[in-house]
Amino acid sequence: MTELQHTPIGDLPAIYETLQSTFRKGISRPLAWRRHQLHQLARMAQENKDKFVAAIYADFRKPEMEIQIGEVGPIVERSIKSAELLEEWAKPEAVDVKAAWQQSWGSTLYKTPKGVVLIIAPWNYPMILSLQPLIGAIAAGCTAVVKPSELSPHYSQTLAELLPKYLDTSAFRVVNGGVEETTALLEMKWDHIFYTGNGRVARIIAAAAAKHLTPLTLELGGKCPVVLDANTDLRIAAKRIFWGKCTNAGQICVCPDYVLVPRSVQDAFVEALSEVYKEFYPEGALNSESLSRIVNQMHYDRLQDLLARTKGEIVLGGKSDGHRGIEPTVFKNVQEDDSLLEGEIFGPFLPLVPVDSLEEAIDFINARPHPLVLYAFTEDPKFKQALIDQTRSGNIIFNDTFQQLAVNELPFSGMGESGYGYQIMNYSFDGFIHLRSSVHVPLEAEPFFAGRYPPYTAENVNLLAGPAVNMEIPPSAGVNGNA
Ligand code: NAD
């Protein structure tokens, strides 16, 4: 493991003061400056692609394909596109006011940067998860500290070396370290904290933020279920689900965690998975350069413990190499109280939980915390609608895994235990701005206000409040009863 140079805790107040002063001076406000910083971020990712690929590979042997598609590519593309769209996002919005007597007030929404923000990122997609929020912060006109994970030390060290060569260091800084450094950062008053990681630490972050009433975005994890329709194309479903499970060796928040499979097709689905398995890893998964390793010994041991305790029947895989390599492993007939269903697996295990109906699958999902993503494989509109109407989750995705993350126009977000707040492109921008409402009431409007001033009279109450209080309530069509 590379030696990660922790930022001295004694340096943090000066870093914080620098960012505060830059923000107060308005340096981060002009759109041309923001656009330049976004282009510089794209340049950093593009010009140092090989260094980032090598660093993340060194952290946990993540394949180059997954780094380029899931990390470097989106950072380059989204920085450039955000710069392109910035003017549209940031321009003050004239609000379409309906009431005739308010139309001269110039009602406007200003997209005000929140200020000095803190971004705390995890190790599993270290680049996209530390820099995607930064794109939003830059676009919004904020200054920011980025705190990458100490568990991806090669990446975090590389970022700390490269970022100051490209971005304005009076506005954007990398702070490296672990719990101690993050705790020191959390004592400071930030204008927004964007945290990506697990729910346990999220509670520590939220408690620290509460002391300063700091708003938060929490991008968390949990178990993302897959619901399978017995009539779906099992072969395509197997390929798409298994790809989702094997990417980053299952160490991703949107990984399909377990499959609720109709009991009648469980064996046929296993058969389909087994064909896909051979296609993906003809040389054996543990010999493959297309499979990441588990990030560290602690997580490797955690997964070994799940493996030792599960009562599910292993139908594919099952081997580990003692060097943080674990074969993608499929288990069938997994029961509700199984070790594999306790918490987020965050590894290459795919439990199949047999169910007898869609209703049973829905009850299973609703008995657990709201997932980040609910996946379903079906071509049946009724099956689809039942899931949309009767379950809750951050995202609901049909007939594929992961691909929602590639759609620049869709927000990404958790719900409940999987977090709150939105990101990607304009949604990241929105998280770092405050919608500052404004009216500019003309002096000439004074005669209209005559009745609002004391002394209050019954006549004026009637005149001013009457139209709202006595407004006619339309009849509700198609609803029975009083409630
Ligand atoms: P991690 O261990 O790298 O921790 C994340 C960050 O929290 C790090 O920067 C770390 O320094 C900091 N941290 C750790 N302990 C802390 C403490 N006691 N006080 C303050 N800061 C602390 O990563 P992780 O949490 O293991 O990440 C994996 C989790 O993140 C999974 O649950 C996954 O589902 C979730 N995740 C969510 C998303 C999303 O977008 N919703 C994306 C990726 C990962």
Side-chain angles (χ1 to χ4, degrees):
M1 197 181 254
T2 192
E3 198 56 42
L4 178 66
Q5 287 169 27
H6 288 215
T7 308
I9 288 180
D11 290 358
L12 300 183
I15 292 174
Y16 180 80
E17 266 319 308
T18 304
L19 301 194
Q20 286 286 358
S21 153
T22 302
F23 184 75
R24 281 195 216 109
K25 285 182 196 150
I27 292 169
S28 59
R29 287 240 182 175
L31 296 191
W33 184 91
R34 300 186 208 178
R35 225 175 272 120
H36 175 65
Q37 298 299 316
L38 287 167
H39 288 153
Q40 284 295 95
L41 191 64
R43 215 162 266 132
M44 177 187 80
Q46 196 173 63
E47 290 178 0
N48 299 284
K49 182 190 74 188
D50 295 341
K51 284 188 188 158
F52 283 118
V53 166
I56 301 172
Y57 182 84
D59 280 328
F60 53 107
R61 275 182 59 178
K62 183 166 173 152
E64 176 169 357
M65 167 96 164
E66 292 178 18
I67 301 170
Q68 294 227 33
I69 288 186
E71 312 230 44
V72 181
I75 289 302
V76 175
E77 188 207 8
R78 289 178 179 162
S79 299
I80 295 170
K81 289 200 166 150
S82 296
E84 228 172 78
L85 294 165
L86 184 54
E87 189 147 3
E88 194 183 315
W89 295 345
K91 70 169 186 285
E93 242 175 69
V95 175
D96 183 19
V97 171
K98 303 286 181 263
W101 61 288
Q102 297 171 349
Q103 276 172 1
S104 63
W105 298 4
S107 297
T108 305
L109 278 179
Y110 292 102
K111 318 284 180 65
T112 311
K114 281 187 177 167
V116 183
V117 304
L118 173 62
I119 294 164
I120 303 175
W123 55 268
N124 67 322
Y125 272 71
M127 186 170 184
I128 186 96
L129 297 174
S130 54
L131 299 184
Q132 181 156 272
L134 182 62
I135 293 174
I138 297 173
C142 294
T143 60
V145 160
V146 179
K147 214 303 283 170
S149 178
E150 68 279 22
L151 300 187
S152 48
H154 293 87
Y155 167 74
S156 301
Q157 189 65 36
T158 304
L159 183 68
E161 284 163 20
L162 291 175
L163 193 119
K165 296 186 180 152
Y166 287 84
L167 296 196
D168 183 338
T169 52
S170 79
F172 306 110
R173 298 291 276 268
V174 174
V175 167
N176 263 325
V179 174
E180 210 185 330
E181 289 76 8
T182 318
T183 304
L185 284 171
L186 288 172
E187 279 161 16
M188 298 164 166
K189 178 174 166 40
W190 303 91
D191 296 306
H192 190 91
I193 300 176
F194 192 113
Y195 168 80
T196 309
N198 69 71
R200 182 188 60 80
V201 173
R203 285 167 167 81
I204 297 174
I205 308 280
K211 290 200 180 125
H212 299 290
L213 293 181
T214 296
L216 284 174
T217 304
L218 296 179
E219 295 284 1
L220 314 178
K223 293 179 89 65
C224 302
V226 185
V227 186
L228 210 59
D229 179 351
N231 299 317
T232 197
D233 182 325
L234 291 181
R235 160 86 197 159
I236 291 185
K239 195 162 196 172
R240 295 182 180 187
I241 294 168
F242 200 57
W243 173 67
K245 181 51 94 175
C246 296
T247 300
N248 215 31
Q251 302 168 106
I252 173 164
C253 56
V254 295
C255 178
D257 193 278
Y258 61 94
V259 184
L260 295 164
V261 57
R263 203 178 300 277
S264 59
V265 299
Q266 182 175 230
D267 288 334
F269 185 56
V270 168
E271 195 48 47
L273 284 167
S274 129
E275 282 169 26
V276 172
Y277 202 109
K278 284 180 217 136
E279 282 170 27
F280 283 8
Y281 305 113
E283 70 282 53
L286 291 176
N287 299 321
S288 172
E289 278 296 321
S290 301
L291 183 72
S292 292
R293 273 16 189 191
I294 305 305
V295 68
N296 61 20
Q297 194 62 36
M298 189 270 285
H299 279 287
Y300 182 82
D301 293 344
R302 177 183 63 78
L303 290 163
Q304 294 302 327
D305 174 60
L306 295 183
L307 195 56
R309 289 190 295 118
T310 179
K311 296 192 174 64
E313 301 161 36
I314 294 181
V315 285
L316 286 170
K319 290 203 275 302
S320 306
D321 65 5
H323 303 286
R324 296 196 273 129
I326 300 183
E327 279 183 339
T329 302
V330 179
F331 309 79
K332 75 171 190 176
N333 289 328
V334 174
Q335 302 300 313
E336 262 198 59
D337 58 352
D338 197 84
S339 62
L340 295 171
L341 297 179
E342 285 167 1
E344 182 179 14
I345 294 173
F346 229 59
F349 297 155
L350 185 65
L352 308 183
V353 181
V355 289
D356 291 311
S357 65
L358 174 59
E359 290 67 37
E360 191 184 332
I362 289 174
D363 288 346
F364 193 96
I365 293 161
N366 288 339
R368 290 163 173 75
H370 305 324
L372 182 58
V373 190
L374 172 59
Y375 293 108
F377 284 76
T378 183
E379 289 294 285
D380 176 352
K382 285 201 183 119
F383 191 103
K384 181 174 171 179
Q385 200 59 44
L387 288 168
I388 294 171
D389 291 342
Q390 295 172 42
T391 64
R392 283 179 285 177
S393 63
N395 313 259
I396 182 160
I397 307 300
F398 297 98
N399 289 0
D400 206 358
T401 57
F402 280 12
Q403 221 49 57
Q404 70 274 18
L405 293 176
V407 184
N408 283 343
E409 292 74 18
L410 281 176
F412 181 65
S413 168
M415 187 185 189
E417 275 293 313
S418 52
Y420 53 80
Y422 300 88
Q423 70 169 322
I424 296 186
M425 300 297 291
N426 54 311
Y427 294 97
S428 301
F429 171 86
D430 289 347
F432 289 108
I433 54 142
H434 169 68
L435 283 181
R436 197 176 192 189
S437 295
S438 178
V439 290
H440 188 136
V441 183
L443 299 183
E444 298 74 37
E446 188 56 18
F448 288 99
F449 299 140
R452 75 181 183 189
Y453 300 116
Y456 301 138
T457 64
E459 189 191 353
N460 283 343
V461 169
N462 204 26
L463 187 75
L464 297 181
V469 171
N470 301 320
M471 209 169 186
E472 192 175 316
I473 301 168
S476 310
V479 179
N480 297 322
N482 295 329

